Amino acid sequence: MIDAADRRHLARCSELAERGRRTAAPNPVVGAVIVRDGAVVGEGWHERPGGDHAEVVALRAAGDARGATVYVNLEPCSHHGRTPPCADALVAAGVARVVTAMVDPTPKVNGAGIARLREAGIAVDVAGGEIERAARRQNAPWLTLALLGRPHVTYKAAVSRDGRTASPAGPRWISSPQSRAQVHELRARVGAVAVGIGTVLADDPLLTARDTDPPAARQPLRVVFDREARLPAGSRLAASAGPDAPVLVVAGPGATPVAAPHVETLAVASPAEALAELGRRRISALLLEGGATLATAFLDAGLIDRLMLYRAPIELGRGPGLFTRAVELPEPWSTAASGPDILTVTELREA
């Protein structure tokens, strides 16, 4: 049975997990809290692949966890990977109870961690309900990659009050400086950012994560979708491509590869094939920043998982919309202010 204290500690696990958002991929973001006699004695989070898992970090911080309750936003692992199983570490530490927000549905675990704990006489509670749904949303990139073999796709767009994403008069900021700063942080947190060739030719974007706090330690893979591979060699994307800032052009079969250093051309027949290749490269999250044509192609293929809209308090009168056709969207599950804008987040597919 989950009570108010359990919910509070699980919420803290979620907060701790976010500290690994930039660095843990393609692993899940996980936080752990250890409580004994009503007091928090240890906390931890998973920082990067190959590093200690959250439970192990929290156990080390606690020192002595005998008889304690361990909270974690994801079922403790039960298999040997780069590190030993967390379930075994919890058994060895002599904890009395484990509370997890959700069962790990991936084939390597899928309840085996919970079974290992219970076999050792440790009480285990799974929160379920809205706590589980929130935990799955938090780890949607990892779940999508693990279960579907492709990155989780978030379509991000700035939209005016009358539903326009660009002005017919030419380039113009729609969203506020606060919203644009958030987008740079989003780029720092994903493995890839994608646009269509129309956006490149119209706006000549860089698509890098800039002016973040702290500064981005790495840049996302920058992806351009264009059947004809027309990325100009003089574009800012091509000119800024390098070993630490690669560019990938997704083209159709038979397209002539782009002749520019550190720009790779990938020939595929569909967006789904492109995402499958990104999945093979262990990219778990993709931020789609393209215009209506590319977004509609992704939508029609069932490849948009999440929609993030920065709704600005301006009207443009004319210009393109989010998609090239009318689309009925579900109600957003999250709404927040972003300067003068309103950010709405809608799940088109639950993880």
Side-chain angles (χ1 to χ4, degrees):
M1 182 69 69
I2 302 296
D3 61 19
D6 294 332
R7 288 191 289 272
R8 185 174 67 254
H9 293 309
L10 286 173
R12 176 58 176 166
C13 290
S14 180
E15 291 177 2
L16 291 168
E18 285 300 316
R19 298 185 183 184
R21 177 62 67 186
R22 288 191 184 183
T23 55
N27 288 0
V29 291
V30 183
V33 174
I34 300 178
V35 177
R36 186 170 56 194
D37 298 326
V40 174
V41 296
E43 292 185 336
W45 65 92
H46 180 52
E47 186 173 358
R48 64 185 70 254
D52 287 334
H53 289 190
E55 299 94 319
V56 173
V57 176
L59 286 172
R60 185 183 305 119
D64 182 0
R66 286 174 295 179
T69 296
V70 177
Y71 296 88
V72 63
N73 61 308
L74 179 67
E75 175 186 0
C77 63
S78 55
H79 61 284
H80 283 269
R82 296 186 185 183
T83 59
C86 291
D88 287 354
L90 294 171
V91 171
V95 306
R97 180 180 178 230
V98 172
V99 182
T100 180
M102 61 174 285
V103 174
D104 179 342
T106 60
K108 288 183 177 181
V109 183
N110 198 23
I114 292 172
R116 172 73 180 96
L117 296 171
R118 286 175 173 161
E119 287 169 1
I122 297 172
V124 179
D125 289 308
V126 180
E130 182 53 41
I131 293 175
E132 177 183 354
R133 286 191 289 273
R136 293 180 73 96
R137 283 196 294 264
Q138 182 175 40
N139 266 312
W142 167 71
L143 286 168
T144 302
L145 180 61
L147 300 177
L148 299 183
R150 65 163 177 85
H152 180 269
V153 177
T154 296
Y155 174 31
K156 182 280 303 177
V159 60
S160 65
R161 189 155 41 203
D162 52 349
R164 306 303 176 186
T165 59
S167 168
R172 172 186 175 187
W173 290 117
I174 295 177
S175 58
S176 66
Q178 295 92 329
S179 297
R180 297 198 294 274
Q182 285 189 22
V183 171
H184 283 285
E185 177 60 31
L186 287 173
R187 291 175 181 172
R189 295 181 172 202
V190 300
V193 177
V195 296
I197 189 63
T199 297
V200 173
L201 297 178
D203 300 338
D204 195 20
L206 269 176
L207 302 179
T208 52
R210 305 184 297 279
D211 301 323
T212 58
D213 184 19
R218 58 159 184 81
Q219 292 296 333
L221 173 67
R222 295 170 293 167
V223 183
V224 179
F225 282 81
D226 178 28
R227 289 185 179 277
E228 300 175 23
R230 292 168 292 170
L231 178 69
S235 66
R236 293 207 296 169
L237 277 171
S240 63
D244 298 322
V247 172
L248 175 68
V249 175
V250 177
T256 301
V258 176
H262 304 290
V263 176
E264 177 187 359
T265 303
L266 173 68
V268 296
S270 67
E273 285 189 20
L275 291 192
E277 173 58 28
L278 294 180
R280 285 189 285 271
R281 300 182 186 198
R282 307 301 295 162
I283 291 175
S284 60
L286 180 143
L287 186 64
L288 182 64
E289 296 194 34
T293 300
L294 183 61
T296 304
F298 269 66
L299 182 73
D300 290 344
L303 297 175
I304 296 180
D305 303 297
R306 182 174 293 170
L307 180 62
M308 296 185 67
L309 297 182
Y310 289 92
R311 298 182 179 273
I314 62 173
E315 294 194 5
L316 296 177
R318 294 183 298 117
L322 284 171
F323 301 102
T324 58
R325 59 176 176 80
V327 174
E328 185 173 346
L329 298 173
E331 289 294 316
W333 64 263
S334 172
T335 302
S338 177
D341 305 334
I342 298 296
L343 170 62
T344 62
V345 182
T346 304
E347 297 292 339
L348 300 189
R349 184 192 66 85
E350 291 195 5

